[in-house]
């Protein structure tokens, strides 16, 4: 693009570099707005099942305060592995840990219930100022 064409362009920026800096600043502001909204305006988080499986143990009850890294529930799932041209399946027990501190508000599943990936398992009211 020639200098003459750039002068006809409708923009507030003097050069492409200024446009790039403007785009970066806009992206940073948009990201900051989303993070602030998530930290201060979303009060409840629904924890969903990461995979298909069966709930074996719920380690929290309604009203419990959970800390970051605390075990919330244990589930049993089927792991598939491709070995020498065949699929091998094995059962595995895994524990889900809380990623944020908060208070347990509701339990949607109880031990023994089966679930699909994405099903709601429990609802946590997270602390203000932390990201869900």
């Amino acid at each position: 693009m020639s200098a003459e064409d750039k002068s006809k362009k409708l923009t507030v920026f003097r050069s492409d570099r200024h446009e790039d800096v403007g785009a970066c600043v806009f992206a940073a502001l948009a990201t900051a707005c989303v993070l602030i909204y998530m930290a201060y305006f979303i009060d409840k988080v629904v924890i969903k099942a990461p995979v298909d499986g069966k709930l074996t143990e719920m380690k929290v009850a309604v009203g419990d305060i959970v800390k970051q890294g605390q075990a919330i529930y244990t589930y049993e799932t089927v792991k598939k592995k491709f070995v020498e041209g065949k699929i091998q399946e094995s059962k595995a027990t895994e524990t889900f840990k809380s990623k944020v501190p908060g208070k347990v508000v509701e339990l949607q599943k109880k031990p023994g219930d089966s679930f699909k990936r994405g099903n709601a398992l429990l609802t946590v009211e997270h602390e203000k100022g932390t990201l869900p």
Side-chain angles (χ1 to χ4, degrees):
M1 184 181 287
S2 70
E4 195 172 296
D5 290 339
K6 280 189 176 184
S7 66
K8 293 178 184 175
K9 194 172 160 185
L10 294 176
T11 182
V12 294
F13 301 107
R14 289 184 179 182
S15 68
D16 290 342
R17 181 172 287 175
H18 290 125
E19 273 186 34
D20 294 343
V21 171
C24 290
V25 169
F26 178 75
L29 286 174
T31 303
C33 288
V34 169
L35 293 176
I36 289 170
Y37 176 76
M38 290 173 64
Y40 292 101
F41 295 103
I42 295 176
D43 55 346
K44 294 179 184 173
V45 177
V46 176
I47 297 177
K48 297 178 180 178
V51 294
D52 296 349
K54 181 179 176 183
L55 190 64
T56 56
E57 182 182 1
M58 187 64 79
K59 297 181 182 261
V60 293
V62 173
D64 285 357
I65 303 294
V66 293
K67 297 177 183 173
Q68 186 173 2
Q70 179 181 346
I72 295 180
Y73 62 88
T74 304
Y75 62 98
E76 187 177 279
T77 186
V78 175
K79 295 274 184 176
K80 294 180 181 176
K81 193 183 210 181
F82 195 74
V83 178
E84 297 177 5
K86 294 182 181 178
I87 295 178
Q88 291 181 345
E89 294 183 352
S90 62
K91 288 188 176 182
T93 302
E94 296 186 4
T95 301
F96 183 85
K97 295 180 180 178
S98 175
K99 293 182 174 57
V100 294
K103 180 180 178 183
V104 177
V105 178
E106 183 180 3
L107 301 175
Q108 279 92 357
K109 300 282 184 186
K110 56 187 176 205
D113 288 351
S114 296
F115 54 82
K116 296 280 185 188
R117 180 180 178 192
N119 286 152
L121 298 178
L122 63 141
T123 304
V124 175
E125 186 178 283
H126 76 94
E127 289 182 10
K128 296 283 183 202
T130 60
L131 290 175

